[in-house]
Amino acid sequence: MENGSDSEDDKPLVFKRSNPSVKQNHVKPDVKKSSMQKPDGKSGRQVSDVRSPNGNGHDSNIQKGKTVPSTKGSPVLSPLASPKVSSSSSKGSQVKPPVASTKASTSGADKSRQHFQQNKTATVKSEKPSGKPKDEPDSGSEDSDDDKPLNSRLPVGGSKGSISEVNKRPGSSGPASSAKPEIGVKEEDSEDDIPLSHKFKQKSNAGESSNAYDSEDVKPFASKHQQNGTSARDNVKNPSPALNKRPSAEVKCSGQSPVKKAKHTAASTPVNGKKVPVRAEPKKEDDDSDDDNATISQRVKKTVTPVSKTSDKKKAAVSVSSSLNKVNKNSKKITKSTQFSKSLKVPPGSGEGQKWTTLVHNGVIFPPPYKPHGVKMLYKGKPVDLTPEQEEVATMIAVMQDTEYMTKPVFRENVMNDWKKLLGRNHVIKNLDDCDFTPIYEWHQSEKEKKKQMSTEEKKAMKEEKLKQEEKYMWAIVDGVKEKVGNFRVEPPGLFRGRGEHPKMGKLKKRIHPSDITINIGEDGPIPECPIPGESWKEVRHDNTVTWLAYWLDPINMKEFKYVFLAASSSLKGQSDKEKYEKARKLKGHIAGIRKAYTKDFANKDVTKRQIAVATYLIDKLALRAGNEKDDDEADTVGCCTLKVENVEPSPPNILKLDFLGKDSIRYQNEVEVEIPVFKAIQQFRSGKEGSDNLFDKLDTTKLNAHLKELMPGLSAKVFRTYNASITLDDMLNKETKGGDISQKVAVYQHANKEVAIICNHQRTVSKSHSTQMLRLDEKIKELRDLIEELKTDLSRAKKGKPPLKGSDGKTKRNMNPESLEKKIAQTNAKIEKMERDKEIKEDLKTVALGTSKINYLDPRITVAWCKRYEVPIEKMFNKSLLAKFAWAMDVEPTFRF
DNA sequence: GGAATGACTTGCCTTTACCTTG
DNA sequence: CAAGGTAAAGGCAAGTCATTCC
């Protein structure tokens, strides 16, 4: 409450108010959720209110109960929360010095938190030093406008009819409005912001929103997006490029979707963070110019914290054994350097590249050797004898019998090529078409069935046995703290399943042996024992500038590696995650200036500059990925810099129709209203080119990112995605959370989460049982409706003193008094309403994946602070893994704003 | 300057765990 | 308790981006 509130809250509020109704989007029908739409906004203030109120008892209780830590006050928090962490994290950007210290402190802190409340205290202290409260964000406050995603500014398709129509999805709202808000923000920003939005608005929607404010703008994206989702998958063919995504499922959608609306806003991703920090310092200063205070403040904090940490660290080490903890720490102390050259590289300025000081782990575990089953496949109708190695591949193929992969020529050819290498030149098996894997397939099915039929005890015993074998590999001790290892199991051999039309699908992924694996471990610790007798590791390194524990060459692409890293809950990952979000928050302070700059360059005489401006605009507004070049032996997908002429179709006066396959061959389809200069520039870029030529022929991700770095230290294309996703969530939560019970608040959150997912084009295939599930819900609703009719009849009879009629099942019902009947009717009605709401949401989200954005794009502090403000138990929003992953964010102040 | 390398993050799908219902 | 659903975990493929190499 204290601090944070300020800035941020304000901003949002403002917007909201202005808009009143608008919310841009609502527009579309889709919006289902009631919550969402609300026009009003609540104002920011809620925060304060919230707290005090405390809501219902239950909430609070709930919270307490659940959460581990239950720290006193804040329900939200969980154990982890210690502030320190955060502080430490900050370090990245800031200075190194802290580093060492950080670690220590952190670790200690962490531990404490985990287990006890004390944590709090401790934590608190550390943080505070800076004086500020945790929230760094201050800066934010002003930003309001800028902050908002571009989308918001431009309505993007929303308004337009086309767009709207397009979207089927609920979300789309459209038009967004964009009004910009600018308001408070810095002057510059505001202007910048405004321009875009204004333009749009004016043109497109016009006014509707003129007022709309940014906030709305923000949302807009979502609305537009939706459609994509749907169609996307189908895609495969659609897009000109024509790729498919996953062989199997893909097809779905196509038909439908027309284009949807535009998405908007930009986005970019987040992340990375590690090293970045280093440079940051110096640069930052520069940046700041624009930035807001926030940044600064943040920095401050960071620095401070570190100190405390130092001490902690040691402690941590001690505790190491403690099982649970994930504690964090990391830090970068300087240790010796690594032996390798790498170390050299690392260090630019700040923190050197050191990632850890001591690292102990047990290596990796290998899949069991192949056990021949002896079941013979048929070739031209006759049983064939195969060696175990040959049979292993035959079994891999057999298991894929009922997948779509088997219908793909590329897959079949690749499999056969690799299998032939094992069969030898003179083998009877010459081609796949004459192979009949049915016997093996059936054997496999029966094995599966057997496993399923095992008694619970047997299953339990097997599970325990497996756990026993794996336990030692599950943990690593990093700087004295026990941390979970992410993927300690070496990938088993199998057939490569690429996504989309991958040229290598079906290739044999050979078995990985210890001699393929390079281990990375602290110099002082014992070298992990090779789990396979008689074999040995390929190499053992001691490189503390990297975080991997082991790696092997990817057998499908021998130029690439497969790494074993710590789990997401580790402090090393947590710190990097926090740095990612801090960078995105820093962008908030520069965004106005950046938008202003690229807007100015839409008409730059220098083609390269013009392309950079337009590309940056698309990345900002539509949350497109950077788009690195790809090799011929990969699926043909694109990102911003690799967009082809045929992927972007201009439709006068200023609509762009985007249609392409992006990461994982997920189709991106959108119609967006853009500013006239952008529209014109795109037309120029397309002129004289073939459909398959690059739209941005003077551009690649290296040039683009180099340019972005000039605008803000550490800035790269993906940061826009993180920024837009998080600012959208923050803004929507603050505008749309009204009172209500927990489930209503959660619905608001889900709505915001959905908008973000749409912006980022995070899709999922519709589950096989979706339609059945919907039918089932309909049935249940009907049953309830019938029940109500029956109850009403009984009620009127009861009022007359008559007994109830027999139930539909013919049974006699007991007598109920009118009051009870009325109560039951009300309850049933509430049940129906809830089911209908659930049904709508389910339909609405059938193609939208909320998880990806929650895991990778939404600053968890936004969620934690919101939960604290509205008394929503954090466990309602984060599952166990997310709670662990976001331990670093748990102690954020309720007033935190992105 | 551009390709290659290397290290990490991001993302969809499948499998597993868990819960509810008949 | 089996069947069915769903959410969480796990698996890996596929991106991003910094740095090094040539």
Side-chain angles (χ1 to χ4, degrees), chain A residues 501-574:
Chain A
E501 291 302 301
H502 198 115
K504 293 191 170 181
M505 65 168 77
K507 284 181 68 72
L508 176 63
K509 226 163 56 148
K510 73 171 184 72
R511 183 174 291 272
I512 302 301
H513 298 275
S515 57
D516 295 316
I517 296 184
T518 298
I519 295 284
N520 188 36
I521 195 155
E523 278 180 304
D524 303 332
I527 290 172
E529 180 191 349
C530 177
I532 298 181
E535 299 192 39
S536 57
W537 306 119
K538 176 180 183 181
E539 181 185 348
V540 175
R541 288 192 200 165
H542 310 285
D543 184 353
N544 68 3
T545 66
V546 295
T547 66
W548 52 265
L549 308 184
Y551 82 76
W552 64 89
L553 287 181
D554 175 4
I556 294 299
N557 190 338
M558 299 298 279
K559 292 177 187 165
E560 294 177 352
F561 314 123
K562 293 283 199 177
Y563 293 94
V564 172
F565 290 117
L566 291 174
S569 58
S570 66
S571 89
L572 216 44
K573 293 278 194 189

Side-chain angles (χ1 to χ4, degrees), chain A residues 115-132:
Chain A
H115 310 286
F116 319 108
Q117 311 169 334
Q118 8 165 330
N119 308 334
K120 284 192 165 187
T121 24
T123 28
V124 177
K125 305 170 181 179
S126 51
E127 309 172 5
K128 301 338 182 44
S130 49
K132 2 178 85 255

Side-chain angles (χ1 to χ4, degrees), chain A residues 267-270 623 625 717-725 760 762 857:
Chain A
S268 41
T269 352
R625 295 187 183 83
K718 71 189 281 214
V719 182
F720 285 89
R721 252 170 104 82
T722 310
Y723 162 73
N724 277 126
C760 294
H762 290 148
Y857 291 103

Side-chain angles (χ1 to χ4, degrees), chain A residues 680-718:
Chain A
K680 288 183 176 164
I682 295 277
Q683 285 180 313
Q684 289 168 7
F685 300 154
R686 285 169 50 97
S687 70
K689 291 182 190 169
E690 303 273 315
S692 59
D693 289 343
N694 282 139
L695 178 69
F696 298 115
D697 53 301
K698 309 284 187 199
L699 213 52
D700 62 33
T701 55
T702 304
K703 284 177 194 150
L704 180 66
N705 283 332
H707 174 255
L708 293 176
K709 288 207 172 31
E710 291 174 3
L711 302 174
M712 183 189 107
L715 183 63
S716 64
K718 71 189 281 214

Side-chain angles (χ1 to χ4, degrees), chain A residues 139-153:
Chain A
S139 49
S141 40
E142 316 161 353
D143 331 6
S144 49
D145 303 355
D146 303 354
D147 312 1
K148 318 201 151 194
L150 294 183
N151 342 336
S152 28
R153 307 177 174 183

Side-chain angles (χ1 to χ4, degrees), chain A residues 373 375-378 398 436-444:
Chain A
H373 47 65
V375 177
K376 293 184 172 35
M377 58 168 286
L378 309 175
D436 181 358
F437 299 96
T438 309
I440 298 180
Y441 175 79
E442 287 176 348
W443 166 81
H444 177 253

Side-chain angles (χ1 to χ4, degrees), chain A residues 368-384:
Chain A
Y370 179 69
K371 265 201 240 150
H373 47 65
V375 177
K376 293 184 172 35
M377 58 168 286
L378 309 175
Y379 188 75
K380 291 189 175 173
K382 294 179 183 165
V384 185

